[in-house]
Amino acid sequence: MSTGMNVIVDTGCANLASVKFAVERLGYQVTITDDVALIQSADKVILPGVGTAKHAMANIKAKNLVNVLQNLTQPVLGFCLGMQLMTESSTEGNCTRNIVPCLNLIPTKIEPLKAQENRLPHMGWNTLTQVSSHPIFNGISVGDYFYFVHSFAAPISDYTIASCEYGSTFSAAIAKDNFIGCQFHPERSSALGSKIIQNFLELDATELNQEQTKL
């Protein structure tokens, strides 16, 4: 078990306590913080989030964390909105005037989910339709269920490491170098979600520096 310091970035969003509990339930210590020094010195960083990209990015800017997050070299895992904040930008509606610049850590963009006749938000349990050999998915297989709540999504790209289908196929997880994002909520996804969190906390950072594992 990793004994390093783990932090959850305090983005001012509402689900911080549930993420903290999910980590502690696995036997790990974790600190919720917006302290620059603590975030920079952490072994693992979790970027959670619920709500809108506009609100979350405003909080991150107000806390002077944009450059801090962009320059992290340790493993960073984004949950749901936290994943979306890792991309270049998010379209918060169907109007291009509503594009919110994000952290630009993974070169893809968040768009309205093309749900076709399905209702939005995409809320509830859904299966992964493709899963790469990325170490975050050790012990996870195609067909495994995870819990989703979202109306926006990242398209399939070179940075997709898992996919899901809801009216159309979208990225269930994306990654680039030390940055990993899950569109689903690991902290709400029962035993398999806990497995994702445990994989991340036990991750050897050198595993992420060898090569990008794509679908």
Side-chain angles (χ1 to χ4, degrees):
M1 178 180 290
S2 170
T3 56
M5 185 178 71
N6 307 303
V7 305
I8 297 167
V9 179
D10 184 356
T11 54
C13 293
N15 70 329
L16 298 175
S18 62
V19 175
K20 185 173 190 284
F21 178 70
V23 172
E24 291 176 340
R25 195 167 49 206
L26 289 167
Y28 294 87
Q29 292 187 323
V30 66
T31 302
I32 298 173
T33 185
D34 56 10
D35 181 89
V36 170
L38 282 179
I39 293 170
Q40 289 175 329
S41 61
D43 292 282
K44 302 284 168 58
V45 175
I46 294 175
L47 183 64
V50 293
T52 67
K54 183 177 181 180
H55 175 67
M57 284 304 300
N59 287 345
I60 290 170
K61 288 176 182 175
K63 295 170 182 278
N64 295 313
L65 292 178
V66 173
N67 288 337
V68 174
L69 295 174
Q70 288 174 333
N71 287 289
L72 293 178
T73 56
Q74 64 271 60
V76 182
L77 179 63
F79 289 11
C80 195
L81 179 64
M83 181 209 89
Q84 297 186 2
L85 297 177
M86 290 178 159
T87 70
E88 295 173 15
S89 62
S90 176
T91 305
E92 295 269 66
N94 292 308
C95 176
T96 54
R97 289 174 298 179
N98 294 330
I99 292 177
V100 178
C102 295
L103 294 169
N104 199 23
L105 304 171
I106 302 175
T108 186
K109 298 178 181 180
I110 301 301
E111 306 166 344
L113 178 59
K114 298 176 179 65
Q116 309 303 337
E117 73 280 1
N118 296 314
R119 69 175 63 185
L120 288 173
H122 171 212
M123 182 165 64
W125 296 89
N126 204 345
T127 55
L128 301 183
T129 52
Q130 287 183 293
V131 179
S132 79
S133 58
H134 192 287
I136 199 73
F137 288 123
N138 288 343
I140 306 297
S141 305
V142 166
D144 284 345
Y145 280 87
F146 291 88
Y147 191 83
F148 292 82
V149 184
H150 63 119
S151 298
F152 302 89
I156 301 297
S157 71
D158 287 345
Y159 302 96
T160 300
I161 57 169
S163 63
C164 181
E165 292 178 8
Y166 188 74
S168 61
T169 304
F170 64 91
S171 292
I174 56 177
K176 182 180 186 292
D177 303 324
N178 57 310
F179 297 102
I180 309 159
C182 298
Q183 179 59 69
F184 51 86
H185 282 275
E187 81 282 10
R188 298 175 68 179
S189 294
S190 194
L192 290 177
S194 293
K195 177 64 174 168
I196 295 277
I197 297 170
Q198 186 171 6
N199 285 345
F200 175 70
L201 295 173
E202 293 181 353
L203 194 64
D204 182 340
T206 59
E207 293 181 79
L208 300 180
N209 298 327
Q210 294 166 0
E211 62 176 325
Q212 174 69 34
T213 309
K214 300 174 186 174
L215 289 176

